[in-house]
Amino acid sequence: MFRDAPHFDVRDYLRKEMMPHFLCPGCGHGMALRALLWAIHELKIDRDKLAVVSGIGCAGRLSAYIDANTFHTTHGRPLAYATGLALARPDLHVVVITGDGDCLAIGGNHLIHACRRNLKLTCLMLNNEIYGMTGGQVSPTTSETRLTTTTPHGNSEPNFDACALATAAGAGFVGREVTRHVPKLKELIKAGLQHPGFAFVEVVSDCTEVYGRKNDMGSSAEMVMRQKSEMRPSAYRDSVDEPFRSTDLPTGILAQNNRPEYGAALRAAAAARAGK
């Protein structure tokens, strides 16, 4: 049940028996989890009515720590499982936590169709540009020239813009934020949770141990500075040089529409058939 505490304490929403967690020091996924639970707290979502579905990978492991109804599924399939759950139980707040490899590689087709259907659920894709748990392989979002275990001489493939893909596929709500700005990330997740359709939120998260170390990107704090430089290159180009690359990274709500929600449309069609 929701605890009407006067302030947010993340420990109220965690399975303490699962501690200590397995995340590496400096991992951005912990900050993303905090932002999600903070948003849930402020919206007063009853945890008995909260269902968190995740796949395989570092991001997928996060559902195990949340004291709610959680489902750790197969690689690339959390959106498929969540689709069935949201259709069967429209009374639930269904949240998917997935990673860039889980969501855009083996799970890419499920993401496209989840966007197309516009079913009421919220998908958080934690993007750390690598397969962090399974060996450090290149992922669909790995920046060009970056080193991974499967691109030892640099990545030659162009990477996906996940938000552009979700927008083109028809998602009702699309947004992006970085883990450095936890309050802003919390507000973006709140907006996604409240949207009456499919909400896709990309969270730019840092992998210090595998991706950062492989590419000589420094400590966790220095990797967070890269997020700064990407959002405001004119302000940080003087202080943030190589290996950080300044680009204008759009954040916040990037797209929103009011297309019909798939679950409601399906139930209305079933009711009409039953009335004939």
Side-chain angles (χ1 to χ4, degrees), residues 1-19 33-48 50 52 62-70:
M1 298 293 290
F2 171 75
R3 298 177 188 176
D4 193 13
H7 63 277
F8 170 62
D9 187 339
V10 70
R11 292 170 294 186
D12 290 338
Y13 293 84
L14 297 174
R15 290 176 174 144
K16 297 179 181 65
E17 67 273 17
M18 296 296 293
M19 299 296 151
L33 177 60
R34 179 182 180 84
L36 169 63
L37 297 178
W38 192 3
I40 288 167
H41 175 84
E42 291 196 350
L43 291 174
K44 300 189 177 188
I45 295 174
D46 186 337
R47 280 176 289 162
D48 287 343
L50 173 65
V52 183
L62 295 183
S63 65
Y65 302 120
I66 301 174
D67 187 13
N69 305 293
T70 58

Side-chain angles (χ1 to χ4, degrees), residues 26-140:
C27 176
H29 288 8
M31 290 179 269
L33 177 60
R34 179 182 180 84
L36 169 63
L37 297 178
W38 192 3
I40 288 167
H41 175 84
E42 291 196 350
L43 291 174
K44 300 189 177 188
I45 295 174
D46 186 337
R47 280 176 289 162
D48 287 343
K49 295 294 186 179
L50 173 65
V52 183
V53 184
S54 62
I56 300 299
C58 297
R61 186 69 180 136
L62 295 183
S63 65
Y65 302 120
I66 301 174
D67 187 13
N69 305 293
T70 58
F71 195 7
H72 195 195
T73 73
T74 52
H75 197 195
R77 307 297 187 260
L79 281 168
Y81 282 89
T83 295
L85 178 59
L87 285 173
R89 291 289 304 275
D91 58 309
L92 296 177
H93 289 269
V94 180
V95 176
V96 170
I97 303 177
T98 182
D100 47 294
D102 188 55
C103 185
L104 290 175
I106 189 171
N109 217 32
H110 293 296
L111 172 63
I112 291 170
H113 293 295
C115 295
R116 175 179 65 88
R117 292 187 179 104
N118 198 39
L119 178 65
K120 168 61 179 165
L121 61 89
T122 304
C123 175
L124 267 61
M125 189 195 81
L126 309 189
N127 178 14
N128 58 11
E129 298 192 32
I130 203 167
Y131 283 86
M133 178 184 283
T134 57
Q137 305 95 322
V138 68
S139 92

Side-chain angles (χ1 to χ4, degrees), residues 5 7 26 61 65 106 120 126 153 166 187 190 192 214 229 237-238 245:
H7 63 277
R61 186 69 180 136
Y65 302 120
I106 189 171
K120 168 61 179 165
L126 309 189
H153 304 293
E187 290 298 323
K190 277 178 66 176
K214 190 84 171 178
S229 75
R237 193 169 283 123
D238 292 339
R245 295 157 303 151

